[in-house]
Amino acid sequence: FDVEEFEIIIEHYLESSDARRAKEVLELAQRQHPGSLDLMFCEAHVLMNQGKLNRALEVLDAIGKMEAFNEDVHLHKASIYSQLRNHRRSVEHYKRALDLAEEGLDDIHLDLAFEYENLELYDLALSSLKSALEINPENEAVLYEMAYCFELTDAHQAAVSFFRDFTNDHPYSFVAWYNLGNALARMDRHVESIEALDYCLAIEERFTSAHFSKARNLLILGRFEEAIACYQETILFDGPQAVTFSYIGECFEKMEHYEQALIHYDQSIVLDPTWVDAWIGRGVVKDMQGRSMEAIKDLENAVNLAPEHGDGWYYLAN
């Protein structure tokens, strides 16, 4: 095999979590192609996969002495230092990679933002993410990370402002409309949130996360039948799921249609016997129906499944 073929075989074994075979192939490759820089990178990959991070750094140092301007050396070092939780060193190497790289700059900015988040430097993280979007406004991973950073810092108004501006410039970005809808919902601006999510769904009809967010808004607004229809839409796209039937049960519970609520909570539990919210919902509904002993049994089941779930204990105490 030539070097490129060996690389493909080694990566195949690493992706299959078979580090032993990857190492065997690497040793064969190095015997056939001694001194290959590409195989030295493969050696670093194998060592990283085996958890031998300091040894991998030594290999990368050796490559760096031969190719001082190779951005991949710095990207790999940044990844290793991140795993070692030395996030400041990781930041240094991502910045060096940005200076050297000509392609994939948006993804490097994204990785740099992760390191800033680990250091709790959220302003710098947001700045890196904005730089990534300037390079590639279609990078959906960056848009999701922007939303996460805003949420993490409770900067909901800043999120609304940013995603409003972004959707003005990029009106077909369904992810941006989705993030805008969620930011508005966190500010209890549910009608505006629904409007943003409707734009999202007009662009990407099968985006079930947006259906869930819209349905949650409708539920909070007391528009239960519309919420149920929205949740049922997700079943058409993603198939039946415990979370969906649990939410539909909650809607029927709010409407005081208790038998329908129980049917949907039961369906949720059939799909996932560990779905705590469905057990709590069943317990609450049975209590409403005066079936207190059955309610206690369901709620005890809930707190046994999730002892940290406050609602389960609260309704059981009631």
Side-chain angles (χ1 to χ4, degrees), residues 138-195:
E138 296 181 5
N139 192 322
E140 293 176 4
V142 174
L143 286 168
Y144 283 121
E145 200 60 27
M146 287 284 298
Y148 175 70
C149 270
F150 281 128
E151 183 183 356
L152 212 57
T153 54
D154 291 326
H156 306 312
Q157 183 56 57
V160 168
S161 298
F162 175 82
F163 287 114
R164 275 210 194 284
D165 289 342
F166 191 87
T167 51
N168 286 337
D169 295 332
H170 307 280
Y172 293 103
S173 173
F174 71 94
V175 174
W177 284 111
Y178 171 70
N179 289 338
L180 174 58
N182 286 340
L184 287 163
R186 291 187 193 99
M187 297 178 71
D188 296 325
R189 293 159 64 178
H190 299 291
V191 174
E192 293 174 80
S193 174
I194 290 169
E195 184 181 354

Side-chain angles (χ1 to χ4, degrees), residues 5 49 53 55 68 71 87 96 140 143 178 180 188 220 224 250 275 296:
E5 288 168 328
N49 200 269
L53 302 180
R55 177 77 187 97
E71 71 269 19
H87 301 298
R96 185 73 179 118
E140 293 176 4
L143 286 168
Y178 171 70
L180 174 58
D188 296 325
I220 291 167
F224 304 120
E250 185 180 351
W275 194 257
I296 287 170

Side-chain angles (χ1 to χ4, degrees), residues 273-305:
T274 66
W275 194 257
V276 175
D277 287 347
W279 285 106
I280 293 173
R282 256 181 38 150
V284 169
V285 168
K286 287 178 181 176
D287 185 38
M288 297 281 194
Q289 292 177 321
R291 298 156 64 183
S292 300
M293 296 310 295
E294 292 176 67
I296 287 170
K297 187 176 178 182
D298 285 338
L299 292 164
E300 284 178 340
N301 206 3
V303 297
N304 287 333
L305 284 168

Side-chain angles (χ1 to χ4, degrees), residues 26-288:
L26 173 66
E27 289 169 354
L28 173 61
Q30 287 176 324
R31 285 198 297 274
Q32 287 190 22
H33 305 281
S36 165
L37 277 176
D38 290 330
L39 290 177
M40 289 179 76
F41 272 117
C42 285
E43 183 181 0
H45 279 173
V46 171
L47 290 166
M48 289 168 70
N49 200 269
Q50 292 176 320
K52 298 176 180 178
L53 302 180
N54 289 314
R55 177 77 187 97
L57 283 172
E58 291 173 11
V59 173
L60 291 167
D61 282 339
I63 299 171
K65 287 173 184 174
M66 290 180 279
E67 288 200 350
F69 301 104
N70 189 321
E71 71 269 19
D72 286 331
V73 171
H74 294 283
L75 290 172
H76 283 77
K77 282 187 173 183
S79 175
I80 290 171
Y81 281 118
S82 180
Q83 291 178 62
L84 292 169
R85 300 191 178 186
N86 189 340
H87 301 298
R88 294 192 183 279
R89 287 296 298 276
S90 182
V91 164
E92 289 172 15
H93 285 287
Y94 277 128
K95 284 182 174 179
R96 185 73 179 118
L98 281 171
D99 291 336
L100 296 171
E102 295 180 358
E103 298 178 348
L105 294 172
D106 55 324
D107 287 326
I108 299 173
H109 274 295
L110 175 59
D111 289 330
L112 177 58
F114 289 142
E115 297 310 306
Y116 282 134
E117 287 173 28
N118 287 324
L119 292 165
E120 298 184 5
L121 300 172
Y122 299 114
D123 287 344
L124 291 175
L126 284 166
S127 178
S128 284
L129 294 168
K130 287 173 183 175
S131 296
L133 288 175
E134 287 171 10
I135 296 163
N136 179 11
E138 296 181 5
N139 192 322
E140 293 176 4
V142 174
L143 286 168
Y144 283 121
E145 200 60 27
M146 287 284 298
Y148 175 70
C149 270
F150 281 128
E151 183 183 356
L152 212 57
T153 54
D154 291 326
H156 306 312
Q157 183 56 57
V160 168
S161 298
F162 175 82
F163 287 114
R164 275 210 194 284
D165 289 342
F166 191 87
T167 51
N168 286 337
D169 295 332
H170 307 280
Y172 293 103
S173 173
F174 71 94
V175 174
W177 284 111
Y178 171 70
N179 289 338
L180 174 58
N182 286 340
L184 287 163
R186 291 187 193 99
M187 297 178 71
D188 296 325
R189 293 159 64 178
H190 299 291
V191 174
E192 293 174 80
S193 174
I194 290 169
E195 184 181 354
L197 294 165
D198 279 338
Y199 279 118
C200 170
L201 291 167
I203 300 163
E204 191 66 36
E205 182 190 8
R206 302 178 70 88
F207 188 35
T208 51
S209 295
H211 282 288
F212 270 108
S213 293
K214 179 181 174 181
R216 194 69 193 166
N217 281 317
L218 291 166
L219 193 155
I220 291 167
L221 291 170
R223 294 157 61 179
F224 304 120
E225 292 181 359
E226 292 175 76
I228 289 168
C230 209
Y231 285 128
Q232 287 172 336
E233 195 88 357
T234 69
I235 296 172
L236 296 175
F237 299 136
D238 279 0
Q241 294 186 39
V243 60
T244 313
F245 282 107
S246 181
Y247 283 141
I248 293 172
E250 185 180 351
C251 290
F252 280 118
E253 177 190 327
K254 301 284 188 189
M255 294 165 70
E256 299 183 3
H257 295 174
Y258 296 132
E259 289 305 322
Q260 278 294 318
L262 286 176
I263 288 168
H264 285 85
Y265 285 137
D266 287 346
Q267 286 175 302
S268 176
I269 289 165
V270 167
L271 288 166
D272 183 357
T274 66
W275 194 257
V276 175
D277 287 347
W279 285 106
I280 293 173
R282 256 181 38 150
V284 169
V285 168
K286 287 178 181 176
D287 185 38
M288 297 281 194

